[in-house]
Amino acid sequence: MREDQHQVTEAPGSAASLRAASEVLRLCGEPLTAALYLVSTPIGNLGDITLRALSVLVRADAVYCEDTRHSRTLLSHYSIRTPLRPYHEHNAEEQRPKVLGELACGKAIALISDAGTPLISDPGYKLAREAIEAGHPVVAIPGASASLAALTVSGLPTDAFFFAGFLPAREGGRRARIEELRDVPGTLAFFEAPTRTGATLADLALVLGARPAVVARELTKLHEDVRRGTLDELATYYGETEPRGEVVIVIGPPVEEDLSDAAICAMLEPALAEMSVRDAARAVAERLKAPKARVYDLALAMRRRGSDAE
């Protein structure tokens, strides 16, 4: 190559960057239909926003959010000048009629939370419900979610899971709620405040036993941390070390214990002395979390053997 010739190289990802910018411009050039848009926003890393979400925030007539100061950081980062208005648990009753009025006038309204997918552990669901009842379109703009991010990196079963939000702050209420969730046949996910993480894990270990669990902290942020172990191991660690930042706790499903026929019959014997076969089988099956048909067959066989012995 001669000295006066220069090799032209593209920066890595430049083609993708240009294509993404072109797509945002295309979306922003299309009219936005009047509707309530539930827009997911990043849970930490500002890069975790979708092109479609950006285009909706740009074109919306207003963006309702939990904290205007917090959400202004996101909008300013992407040079979005759409008006921000507060919508949170303390003003929702007052603001909801105003939002519904704007929708009735043909406005396009975006609703966002401080981080992640709106309506998850925030009062936005009441607005969505009333918008639907009033006949207004409600459109999901999917994206980041802390609970799903924690679930996917946990290494725990994902075929069935239950998101239980925040547990009660007081010990008695917290333990009672955990007891209600003890037999849910899937992985459990909770949000928790860092100051209560140690106490919550201790209560979870007390009620649920030594299930495998994960504490995911500051997901997508600089100091992201995912700690794995049994509930009692994590309770010990966080009982001594208070975490910082946003916390998600993920817990494996209950372990199915192999119940022997002998164990079931041992519990059926006193029940059959006081109840009918059907009632005894139902009571024992519910207590042992065993299949009713199996328990009923064993109860019927025991009753027949008893009759034959007479």
Side-chain angles (χ1 to χ4, degrees), residues 11 58 66 79 99 104 107 113 143 182 194 248-249 285 303:
V58 166
E66 293 182 81
S79 298
V99 179
K107 301 288 187 181
S113 64
R182 182 171 62 88
V248 185
I249 300 172
R303 179 58 59 84

Side-chain angles (χ1 to χ4, degrees), residues 87-104:
Y87 186 94
H88 46 72
E89 60 180 339
H90 302 297
N91 75 348
E93 295 298 323
E94 176 186 349
Q95 289 287 72
R96 199 151 51 242
K98 297 179 182 179
V99 179
L100 294 171
E102 290 177 312
L103 291 170

Side-chain angles (χ1 to χ4, degrees), residues 171-230:
E171 182 182 274
R174 184 165 60 232
R175 290 183 181 179
R177 177 58 175 151
I178 296 170
E179 183 66 39
E180 292 174 351
L181 300 170
R182 182 171 62 88
D183 297 317
V184 171
T187 297
L188 299 174
F190 304 91
F191 287 156
E192 191 50 280
T195 54
R196 293 199 299 266
T197 297
T200 292
L201 286 165
D203 287 339
L204 287 164
L206 178 68
V207 178
L208 304 181
R211 291 195 199 179
V214 166
V215 174
R217 184 180 64 82
E218 293 288 86
L219 288 170
T220 77
K221 299 179 183 178
L222 180 63
H223 300 293
E224 176 179 309
D225 178 65
V226 179
R227 185 171 293 271
R228 301 173 176 87
T230 60

Side-chain angles (χ1 to χ4, degrees), residues 247-267:
V247 171
V248 185
I249 300 172
V250 185
I251 304 166
V255 178
E256 293 186 7
E257 298 179 0
D258 291 330
L259 283 171
S260 66
D261 286 354
I264 296 174
C265 289
M267 189 167 289

Side-chain angles (χ1 to χ4, degrees), residues 26-264:
R26 184 189 69 79
L27 289 170
C28 288
E30 296 179 352
L32 189 61
T33 304
L36 175 63
Y37 293 87
L38 310 176
V39 183
S40 297
T41 56
I43 59 175
N45 189 319
L46 293 182
D48 293 335
I49 191 165
T50 69
L51 304 182
R52 187 175 174 218
L54 287 174
S55 74
V56 169
L57 294 177
V58 166
R59 292 176 292 163
D61 293 296
V63 176
Y64 282 84
C65 61
E66 293 182 81
D67 186 333
T68 56
R69 294 168 300 179
H70 179 90
S71 295
R72 189 166 286 113
T73 300
L74 172 66
L75 268 61
S76 296
H77 182 77
Y78 288 103
S79 298
I80 297 172
R81 297 180 176 82
T82 306
L84 275 171
R85 298 172 186 164
Y87 186 94
H88 46 72
E89 60 180 339
H90 302 297
N91 75 348
E93 295 298 323
E94 176 186 349
Q95 289 287 72
R96 199 151 51 242
K98 297 179 182 179
V99 179
L100 294 171
E102 290 177 312
L103 291 170
C105 291
K107 301 288 187 181
I109 303 297
L111 178 71
I112 63 176
S113 64
D114 279 348
T117 301
L119 276 65
I120 305 300
S121 284
D122 75 33
Y125 83 92
K126 294 181 180 179
L127 174 59
R129 181 182 61 195
E130 292 193 21
I132 292 168
E133 291 173 352
H136 304 302
V138 175
V139 181
I141 309 297
S145 167
S147 55
L148 291 180
L151 177 69
T152 54
V153 301
S154 70
L156 297 171
T158 57
D159 55 330
F161 59 91
F162 183 85
F163 173 68
F166 284 93
L167 289 168
R170 295 183 182 276
E171 182 182 274
R174 184 165 60 232
R175 290 183 181 179
R177 177 58 175 151
I178 296 170
E179 183 66 39
E180 292 174 351
L181 300 170
R182 182 171 62 88
D183 297 317
V184 171
T187 297
L188 299 174
F190 304 91
F191 287 156
E192 191 50 280
T195 54
R196 293 199 299 266
T197 297
T200 292
L201 286 165
D203 287 339
L204 287 164
L206 178 68
V207 178
L208 304 181
R211 291 195 199 179
V214 166
V215 174
R217 184 180 64 82
E218 293 288 86
L219 288 170
T220 77
K221 299 179 183 178
L222 180 63
H223 300 293
E224 176 179 309
D225 178 65
V226 179
R227 185 171 293 271
R228 301 173 176 87
T230 60
L231 278 172
D232 48 350
E233 289 170 345
L234 292 170
T236 298
Y237 178 82
Y238 286 105
E240 301 170 352
T241 307
E242 183 178 299
R244 294 183 178 181
E246 306 295 329
V247 171
V248 185
I249 300 172
V250 185
I251 304 166
V255 178
E256 293 186 7
E257 298 179 0
D258 291 330
L259 283 171
S260 66
D261 286 354
I264 296 174

